């Protein structure tokens, strides 16, 4: 019997498969089972109109048998089957979309075999694990059955054979073990069970296999039981995925259990979002907001992404394109019959349908978080504790591209509410004449409370947002405004209209003193001003435009060599007795006045949480003045 040759491109693909160094060889089973499932689908569909089929939906099945002795792994289905022409057309050439795309993508670069497993390469992937494949098949309605046999790139034969049952057996002779690869594993029950559960759990037909089990021998005594092994056919897959079931029929506990099992989390999810979309793209999605921060969440080891299924078949474990960076904490699955199984990761990125799904999901997630914020503040605060920082990063990232989406979801600590508050609530509480959203940045709530600059505003009952994370100020700077109200730093910026003039007036009245202090401090400060924001404190330090002191500390910690410094302006409270003492000294004892100036500046640095250039000089100064 003359061997038939594969078409040129098929041959090349086959060679790639046979010599594959790809580590995920195991995906071959997924491919073979998918084909079997498709074949069942086809005959099942035919049965709707053709009584001759004689099978109901519940009669279809896929059977796996492993014969270790002969190293044969068989996947059998009672689907539509193939006739001679089908065999020739389907298994002789690569006409299928997936394989064709694969060929295009891989081009001439045969070295890059690493990409193989990322594709659905269909039937040919079996050659990654088998050195000889026999297909025994009989098509529904056909008279005769056929054997298709091939040992790889050399070609294949098609011969008539005896076979009563309609359907197909794919019989794979598993390769001998090598140093790198334990092919024998693919004949082990546990391995096959594992692979079916991993890749084909939601195939709609039962995948059956003889599984050997142990039981207590009948009649053996309870205290000294004897055991025997027996085999039993078992369905390996769970068939109906939880996301395909109507939401109203699934209990919360079922969702939670699914989440814990699937994503290996010890904690229940905080929220489940079930999505069922029809229209431009049809898909089901089941998303979860984790109830705890994964231990590696803020490290580079954490990989975002959703599990992607097509008709219950796993295509990708972590499809990153389905989630924007700012919602990277979401876990879940997406299942769409519109996605072809045969797409590579690269191709997926450009997949229009995928983009549509991703955009829809982003909206759903945002809506769910918004709902939680309004209806379950306590729950939202717990979420915020876990992932709030991520949302703030989201605002700052990409030059604020996503700020409109995220700004309503932010929480900051409020000086008047004494708890976290959304910006929307702050604006609602603003007095009619209040122009700005006030904030103060510092290391902790307690420290900010003690800052001299916050005192006056707080006394007047003005609400101040306390920023204690390094990203907070960047966040405010990126937002710039919220509901058309500008953000203002209580520490560094003008608090009200006309403040400048008022300060100027005060400074003019004490011109000599201010000039003296500036001269005494030299380059250490950019300016010395009269303050309109101080009440009981004599001094404070304010930063110029752009970099604040908290930002300076942040950069100092991560990038000390850059020596980034915020501009320093010393503000003096002309009403304070210390200022009056200074003024008197300027007139009577300039040497002493110099020391006072240094002292006040050092105090301002300390209050701002900035390091003193020379701490021992400072203590000397204090002691000297005590004399
Ligand atoms: P794809 O599944 O992407 O079409 P494959 O190489 O896996 O590519 O399969 C090629 C074709 O062979 C299938 O489209 C199908 O027509 C046929 N085929 C494969 N396996 C079976 C099977 N078990 N029963 C019937 N037809 C099959």
């Amino acid at each position: 019997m003359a061997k038939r040759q594969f078409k040129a491109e098929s041959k090349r693909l086959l060679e790639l498969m046979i010599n594959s160094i790809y580590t995920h060889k195991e995906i071959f089973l997924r491919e073979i089972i998918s084909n079997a499932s498709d074949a069942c689908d086809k005959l099942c569909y035919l049965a709707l109109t053709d009584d001759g089929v004689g099978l109901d939906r519940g009669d279809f099945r896929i059977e796996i048998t492993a014969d270790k002795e002969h190293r044969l792994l068989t996947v059998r289905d009672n689907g539509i089957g193939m006739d001679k022409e089908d065999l020739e057309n389907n298994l002789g050439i690569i006409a299928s979309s997936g394989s064709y795309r694969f060929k295009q993508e891989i081009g001439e670069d045969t070295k890059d075999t690493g990409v193989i497993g990322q594709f659905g390469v269909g039937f040919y992937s079996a050659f990654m694990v088998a050195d000889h494949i026999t297909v025994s098949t009989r098509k529904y309605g056909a008279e005769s059955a056929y054997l298709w046999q091939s040992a790889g790139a050399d070609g294949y034969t098609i011969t008539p054979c005896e076979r009563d049952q309609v359907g197909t057996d794919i019989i794979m002779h598993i390769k001998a073990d090598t140093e790198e690869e334990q092919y024998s594993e693919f004949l082990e029950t546990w391995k096959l069970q594992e692979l079916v559960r991993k890749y084909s759990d939601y195939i709609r037909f039962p995948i059956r296999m003889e599984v050997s089990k142990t039981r207590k021998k009948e009649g053996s005594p309870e205290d000294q039981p004897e055991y025997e092994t027996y085999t039993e056919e078992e369905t390996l897959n769970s068939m109906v995925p939880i996301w395909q079931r109507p939401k109203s029929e699934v209990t919360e506990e079922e969702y939670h259990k699914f989440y814990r099992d699937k994503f290996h989390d010890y904690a229940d999810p905080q929220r489940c979002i079930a999505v069922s979309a029809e229209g431009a793209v049809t898909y089901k999605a089941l998303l979860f907001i984790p109830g705890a921060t994964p231990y590696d969440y803020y490290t580079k080891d954490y990989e975002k992404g959703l599990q992607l299924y097509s008709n219950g078949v796993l295509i990708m474990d972590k499809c990153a394109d389905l989630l924007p960076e700012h919602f990277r904490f979401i876990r879940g699955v997406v299942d769409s019959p519109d996605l072809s199984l045969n797409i590579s990761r690269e191709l997926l990125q450009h997949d229009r349908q995928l983009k549509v799904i991703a955009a829809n999901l982003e909206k759903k997630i945002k809506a769910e978080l918004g709902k939680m914020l309004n209806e379950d503040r306590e729950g939202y605060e717990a979420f915020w504790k876990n992932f709030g920082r991520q949302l703030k990063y989201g605002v700052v990232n990409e030059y604020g591209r996503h700020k409109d989406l995220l700004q309503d979801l932010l929480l900051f600590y409020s000086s008047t509410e004494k708890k976290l508050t959304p910006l929307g609530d702050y604006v609602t509480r603003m007095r009619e004449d209040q122009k700005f959203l006030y904030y103060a940045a510092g290391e902790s709530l307690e420290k900010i409370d003690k800052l001299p600059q916050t005192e006056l505003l707080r006394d007047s009952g003005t609400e101040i947002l306390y920023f204690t994370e390094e990203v907070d100020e960047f966040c405010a700077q990126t937002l710039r405004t919220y509901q058309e109200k500008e953000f203002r730093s209580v520490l560094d910026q003008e608090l009200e209209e006309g403040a400048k003039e008022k300060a100027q007036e005060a400074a003019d009245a004490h011109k000599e003193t201010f000039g003296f202090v500036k001269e005494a401090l030299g380059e250490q400060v950019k300016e010395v001003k009269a303050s309109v924001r101080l009440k009981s404190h004599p001094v404070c330090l304010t930063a110029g435009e752009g970099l604040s002191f908290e930002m300076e500390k942040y950069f100092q910690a991560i990038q000390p060599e850059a020596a980034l410094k915020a501009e320093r302006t010393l503000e003096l409270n002309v009403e304070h007795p210390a200022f009056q003492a200074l003024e008197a000294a300027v007139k009577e004892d300039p040497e002493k006045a110099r020391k006072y100036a240094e002292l006040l500046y050092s105090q301002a640095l300390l209050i701002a949480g900035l390091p003193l250039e020379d701490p021992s000089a400072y203590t000397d100064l204090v002691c000297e003045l005590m004399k």
Side-chain angles (χ1 to χ4, degrees), residues 130-193:
D131 47 24
H132 189 276
I133 299 177
T134 304
V135 179
S136 147
T137 182
R138 182 165 154 206
K139 189 167 182 167
Y140 170 70
E143 288 295 306
S144 29
Y146 293 93
L147 274 188
W148 179 100
Q149 285 179 286
S150 172
D154 279 356
Y156 58 92
T157 59
I158 298 177
T159 47
C161 74
E162 287 299 314
R163 185 186 165 101
D164 294 335
Q165 270 208 342
V166 169
T168 304
D169 290 12
I170 308 287
I171 306 155
M172 293 159 274
H173 184 261
I174 300 298
K175 290 181 185 177
D177 290 347
T178 63
E179 247 168 57
E180 300 88 52
E181 199 74 39
Q182 295 293 310
Y183 293 103
S184 300
E185 274 194 356
F186 298 124
L187 294 161
E188 298 286 350
T189 310
W190 63 267
K191 185 71 186 177
L192 296 164
Q193 277 174 311

Side-chain angles (χ1 to χ4, degrees), residues 35-36 39 42 77 80-82 90-91 96 99 122-123 168 170 342:
N35 283 345
K42 284 178 195 160
D77 67 70
I80 187 100
M82 286 177 273
N90 296 336
L91 305 186
S96 64
S99 315
F123 176 76
T168 304
I170 308 287
N342 303 302

Side-chain angles (χ1 to χ4, degrees), residues 3-6 11 14-15 18 150-157:
K3 266 213 175 113
R4 292 162 200 248
Q5 292 304 305
F6 287 103
K11 199 170 158 177
L14 263 173
E15 273 159 0
I18 294 158
S150 172
D154 279 356
Y156 58 92
T157 59

